[in-house]
Each structure stands twice: as C-alpha cells, then as structure tokens.
Amino acid sequence: MLLTVDRINKSYSSFPNPPVQVLHDVSFSLAPGQALGLVGESGSGKSTIAKCLMALAAPESGSILYDGMDVSKARGAELLRFRREVQMVFQDPYGSLNPRMSVEELIGEGLLVHKLEPTAARRRERVAEIMRTVGLNPDDMVRFPRSFSGGQRQRIAIARALVIGPRILVCDEPVAALDVSVQAQVINLLRDMQRKLGLAIVFIAHDLAVVRHLCDSIVVLHKGRVVEAGPRADIFERPREAYTQALLAAVPVPDPEIGRARRERRHVLT
Amino acid sequence: MTTVSAMSGAPRRRRLALSPFDTAVIVLVCVLLLAAVFGPFFAPDSIYTSDIANSLMPPSAANWFGTDDQGRDVFWRLVAGARTTLLSSFLVVTLYSLIGVTIATVAAAGPRWLDEALMRLTDIGLALPSMIVALGFAAAMGPSLKSAIIAMAITGWPTTARLLRGIMRQTMESQFVAGAQVLGVSRWRLMTKHVLPNSLDVLIVKWAGDIGNTVLVLASLSFIGVGAQPPSPEWGATIAGARGYVSTAWWTVVMPGAAVAITSIAFGLLGDIIQVRRDPSLGGN
C-alpha cells in the first residue's frame, strides 16, 4: 500500500466547551495508481482527514503511513520528500491561489522550492508544458489569477500540484465551487491525469454522483466514522448501510419516474 | 478578494470620481512635494544671510510672507524648510515602518512564546507617550536633527507592528497559505512571498497618515530645541527662533505654524482618501 491510514482520531478543542471529536478510528488505504473517493456530508470530517493526510494537522492517535514514513512525525528532508510526492488541490479556486503571483510563478513555485529545475528558462518550459497538458494556453502565464474563471483557476491549481510529479493527489472537493458544466471538465481532466501519470488520487466529495466516474473504490463517512468502504460497484449496486442508501437516493437522476420513487425512499435517515 | 491592488496585466477597474475636496488635497500634497524637491534650487541665497536693514518687514510684493528678524524672506525659508521637514518625516516613517514590519513578521511567523514576548514589548511601546520618549532619546543623544530622526524612528514602530501582526495572522488563515505549506515552501518564503505581500495594503494608508503626524512631532521637537537647530530653515526651529516677535511681527510665527498645520492635515487627509478608495466596503476597490 502506498498510503495507509490506521485508526486515526482527531478532536478540536473549543474552550470552555469540552473538545469535539471529529474523527473516530478512521482507517483506509490507497494503492499506487488507485482513485479513492471519500464521501460524506458536511461535518463528516472530510476536510480534517485531508488536513491530516497533508501533514497540516496531526491526529491524536493512530498513524498515517506513506511509503514507510509516519507522516505526522516527518521532519526536514523526509517531510520535504513527502511534500514533493503528495500534493493537494483545494476546494475554493478563488482562495487557494496567491492573488499576487503570476500563473508562471504559481505553477513554477514547486519546481523552484524543490530545486527540480535550476534555471528560470527551463522552469518556464516546464510550466508551459504542464499548462498545455491541463488545457490552458501557455501565453497566459504572465497573467494573474483574477483574470481567470473558476474552472481555469482549478486547472491552474491542478497544474501547480502536478508539475512536480507527485505520486498522490489529494483533492478536497475540487469541483464543489464550480458550475455543473465545468465540474465534468475538471473531473475528466483529473481522470486523464490519473491514467496518463499513474497517479493515485484521494478525492473528497459530499455527494456520490461526483466520485462515480473517477473513483475505483469509495469510503463513506458519517459523523467522523467510516460507515462503509468498498469497490465502486459494491457501493453503488449493493449498498449495505442505510446511510449509504440515503446518500445514493440523494443523487439526482434525469428520469422523473425513478426520481419520484427515490424521493419516497429518501426519508430513511435524514 | 479584499487584498488585490492595481497591478500589471489587469484590466483597469472602474475608479471612483474624485470630489473637488479630494482633488484639492491631492494637489496640495503634490505642491508640497514639488516644493520640497525643487524649491531650494529657486530660493535666493539671501535666506541664509542677515540683512538687518530689511528686518521684520510685513508681507509685500517683494517679500510675500514678510521678513524675519534677520531680514530673511519668510516665504523662501519655508520653501527651503519643506525639504528638511518632509524628507526627515519620510525617513522617520520609513525607518519605523521597517522596524514594525520586521517585528510583526517575526511575531507572526515565530513560535507562540516569541509572538507573546514581542507583543508585550509592543504593548509597552504603545503605553509610553512616544513624543516624550523621543524627547528623552533626542536629548540624551545631543540635540540635532539627526537625533530627533533616530529618536522618532525607534519610538514610532509599535502601532505598525501591532496592526500588521494582526493582519498577517489573518492572512495566514488563507487557503493559499495552506497551499504554499502543502507545496513545501520554506518558512522564509512563506512569509515574504505569500503572507507579507498580501498584508501590506493597510500600511500604504497608514504611511500617508503617519507622515502628517510625524511632520507635527518633528516640528514640536525642533521647537522645544532637541531637533533641528537655528539657523536651519526647518519649520519648528523657525517658529522657535521667531517666537519673541509674535506680538510685533505675527507673520514670522504664523506662516511657519500654518505650514506645519497644513502639511500635517494634508497628509492625514490623503491617508483617508486612499483608505476610502481602497476599501471595497466603502465603495472603493
């Protein structure tokens, strides 16, 4: 396994109230090149998992192992290797790009920080190359993020993450802030990149419809616990847990007959 | 997106129309700056020499603001003094802004105990009346314009440090800062490239307002005698030298006093105008 999350717990202190535990013994694992979907409603602990995965927060107990290293204890050169090999795309494409850096600086930052390309000219070539790969015009590299639409910004964010050649890409609801028409483009881009680069993806989403086309296996979260986990087919065709069934029933379908029947069944848990 | 500012490559956003009052303030500031930069080249040499026969003449066509006790033209001495006053104020504000930015950055980036220590130090700085402290420092170093500048530079930083540290902490909550951390940037790069440039906006407003205040304090220090010394044409020193004639030749005191007041107010208002025009909640951008 490339990444193993083993029974992690995490709580947030909210003094003077008692601390709120947001993750309860969450475990899952990710194989090289696999796309894993983490699905759950607001407050299910998805973003906290992302923070722990990215070593931005440390779980109180349990461990996250990446390629043999304990992520939350990694320091120095080891942490730097982790940063190069595990990258992230954030939810809000308007807040996740520094407004004072040009696209070239934004995308090239990883190459600079990890000293992958020593010269500015070579960095520019690599930036242009990855911009073409994600469907951006390299001529736009001198522009600033505010000149781009939400979907284009998310492409910039993906290029920024992928240019240093990571092995895992963690996507924290990367399409939740985008128009439906643009959502599909970004998901297709991620799938293409996954196939082309052999990338492993952890895709966090709040509804099952979004992960359906991308993820081989799915972990369903509810109130900080893993409710159900398994291959895509099992989750979609034979959901065992009532919560998973309720989530599935919430996926809109284009057929009014089926839709009506589903709405009947939706009162199970919500 | 409250932190964007005018930058290359962006389409110009709609600007607010300037009111006549705003225009007047900006014109006034420009005139003051031009006077400070070019004025001394046009000033006659006679402002540095005595002409007793011509002393204490009231304002006239030849001497617009009259002459002082040494027979020197008051108007041209003010113009010559504008360079000293404004240049010194710019220097003071720039110096203490640098100190403030450094302390704020270290406090925001450093561990919690360092942050606490620096902020308590800032509290002490804020609690002490800066002009009295500057007075003490300047007197201890020996009265001169240089000591007044140094004294004000080392007492002025606390408000800047406090303000900027708060804003930097806020900026550090932004997603792009988390994004930079995820990418593995160093702490130095994180602060200088990501946090600081997105926190400095407010200092531009503060900088203009602080110039106005500094002009006033500098003139006060010189008036008391710990700043610029006569015969320097610095405004505070000019008032100090002429204060004996306030009942017989009012123009020797009122004109430099008005120069201090107008300059101070003009830069203060310029700060307000910039603030309104940059703050989206007040209709600017």
Side-chain angles (χ1 to χ4, degrees):
Chain A
M1 282 295 151
L2 189 59
L3 182 80
T4 311
V5 176
D6 187 23
R7 283 168 295 160
I8 56 168
N9 286 280
K10 174 83 187 162
S11 47
Y12 288 122
S13 63
S14 58
F15 187 80
N17 301 320
V20 185
Q21 191 163 359
V22 289
L23 295 182
H24 303 263
D25 287 332
V26 172
S27 303
F28 58 86
S29 57
L30 181 71
Q34 185 193 7
L36 177 81
L38 285 179
V39 184
E41 60 190 14
S42 304
S44 60
K46 298 171 303 215
S47 293
T48 306
I49 293 178
K51 272 188 194 161
C52 291
L53 284 183
M54 295 316 299
L56 292 174
E60 273 126 35
S61 65
S63 64
I64 300 173
L65 290 175
Y66 165 74
D67 203 15
M69 83 169 78
D70 188 333
V71 169
S72 47
K73 293 193 180 69
R75 294 285 177 277
E78 207 182 24
L79 183 63
L80 207 60
R81 177 170 81 92
F82 174 78
R83 293 280 183 234
R84 190 166 77 75
E85 294 179 1
V86 182
Q87 273 304 307
M88 180 163 182
V89 175
F90 290 84
Q91 172 174 1
D92 174 17
Y94 292 88
S96 62
L97 300 174
N98 184 342
R100 294 188 187 258
M101 285 168 85
S102 68
V103 173
E104 182 184 351
E105 286 179 285
L106 282 166
I107 298 178
E109 187 167 34
L111 298 172
L112 183 73
V113 167
H114 293 284
K115 305 185 179 69
L116 299 179
E117 291 294 349
T119 66
R122 280 289 299 147
R123 275 201 297 277
R124 184 167 302 147
E125 274 173 43
R126 287 279 295 272
V127 169
E129 187 186 309
I130 194 87
M131 283 180 80
R132 261 180 242 113
T133 313
V134 300
L136 290 165
N137 182 355
D139 296 341
D140 289 338
M141 71 165 74
V142 294
R143 312 185 72 157
F144 286 81
R146 64 160 167 273
S147 335
F148 295 89
S149 67
Q152 284 174 314
R153 286 184 203 215
Q154 212 55 305
R155 285 176 195 270
I156 296 170
I158 291 170
R160 178 176 154 86
L162 292 184
V163 72
I164 55 177
R167 295 167 75 189
I168 301 180
L169 187 66
V170 176
C171 307
D172 184 5
E173 304 216 35
V175 297
L178 304 178
D179 290 347
V180 177
S181 56
V182 182
Q183 284 186 1
Q185 295 171 13
V186 171
I187 288 178
N188 287 340
L189 172 66
L190 285 171
R191 195 181 49 191
D192 292 348
M193 291 296 117
Q194 187 212 357
R195 286 180 187 161
K196 204 151 141 190
L197 307 171
L199 198 65
I201 291 183
V202 177
F203 193 98
I204 298 173
H206 58 256
D207 68 300
L208 282 164
V210 175
V211 300
R212 179 169 216 157
H213 298 283
L214 186 68
C215 300
D216 325 314
S217 59
I218 289 166
V219 174
V220 180
L221 294 160
H222 185 48
K223 293 184 177 161
R225 287 173 213 277
V226 174
V227 175
E228 189 167 356
R232 170 177 46 195
D234 288 2
I235 298 287
F236 277 95
E237 311 303 332
R238 296 175 290 282
R240 282 177 287 119
E241 300 292 327
Y243 181 71
T244 314
Q245 289 162 7
L247 267 187
L248 273 174
V251 175
V253 280
D255 186 324
E257 291 292 323
I258 302 173
R260 206 171 295 127
R262 278 195 171 178
R263 276 195 295 278
E264 299 291 314
R265 279 183 281 136
R266 198 181 293 172
H267 305 289
V268 194
L269 259 192
T270 49
Chain B
M1 296 277 287
T2 52
T3 52
V4 289
S5 72
M7 238 186 203
S8 60
R12 279 268 164 272
R13 266 160 297 169
R14 197 177 60 87
R15 288 263 168 200
L16 290 176
L18 282 172
S19 74
F21 180 73
D22 292 354
T23 315
V25 169
I26 291 169
V27 168
L28 185 56
V29 167
C30 292
V31 168
L32 286 166
L33 289 176
L34 287 175
V37 174
F38 299 110
F41 298 122
F42 298 99
D45 291 338
S46 64
I47 62 168
Y48 297 110
T49 56
S50 297
D51 179 11
I52 302 296
N54 209 14
S55 69
L56 299 177
M57 299 295 280
S60 65
N63 305 107
W64 293 347
F65 290 178
T67 61
D68 65 7
D69 58 322
Q70 302 291 318
R72 299 170 297 197
D73 184 89
V74 172
F75 174 78
W76 284 110
R77 276 182 66 81
L78 286 183
V79 171
R83 172 178 282 183
T84 315
T85 304
L86 285 177
L87 192 68
S88 307
S89 302
F90 274 48
L91 199 61
V92 166
V93 176
T94 308
L95 282 175
Y96 78 59
S97 295
L98 282 177
I99 301 175
V101 168
T102 310
I103 289 183
T105 310
V106 172
R112 203 183 169 94
W113 63 267
L114 189 60
D115 183 26
E116 284 290 327
L118 287 173
M119 284 303 110
R120 294 300 80 78
L121 190 70
T122 307
D123 284 341
I124 296 170
L126 286 170
L128 297 170
S130 63
M131 183 162 163
I132 307 292
V133 178
L135 184 65
F137 272 116
M141 284 184 284
S144 73
L145 184 61
K146 197 172 80 184
S147 358
I149 290 172
I150 294 173
M152 290 172 71
I154 57 183
T155 52
W157 59 267
T159 45
T160 307
R162 160 59 52 86
L163 181 75
L164 190 65
R165 178 256 180 203
I167 290 166
M168 287 177 92
R169 283 267 144 161
Q170 210 177 326
T171 307
M172 286 169 88
E173 300 295 314
S174 314
Q175 231 180 30
F176 65 79
V177 172
Q181 280 174 309
V182 161
L183 202 63
V185 305
S186 63
R187 198 132 196 92
W188 169 255
R189 187 177 167 87
L190 186 74
M191 296 311 289
T192 55
K193 194 79 193 165
H194 295 271
V195 179
L196 199 55
N198 287 291
S199 308
L200 279 179
D201 259 27
V202 70
L203 279 199
I204 297 168
V205 175
K206 191 170 153 40
W207 196 80
D210 281 8
I211 297 272
N213 191 38
T214 306
V215 165
L216 191 61
V217 175
L218 189 70
S220 307
L221 288 179
S222 297
F223 178 76
I224 299 168
V226 296
Q229 302 294 315
S232 162
E234 200 279 331
W235 296 343
T238 306
I239 301 173
R243 71 185 190 282
Y245 306 98
V246 66
S247 52
T248 49
W250 57 269
W251 54 90
T252 55
V253 177
V254 171
M255 291 308 178
V260 173
I262 289 171
T263 308
S264 178
I265 293 170
F267 277 95
L269 289 171
L270 180 70
D272 290 350
I273 293 169
I274 299 173
Q275 181 165 30
V276 169
R277 292 173 62 76
R278 294 185 71 87
D279 187 342
S281 66
L282 296 173
N285 54 37

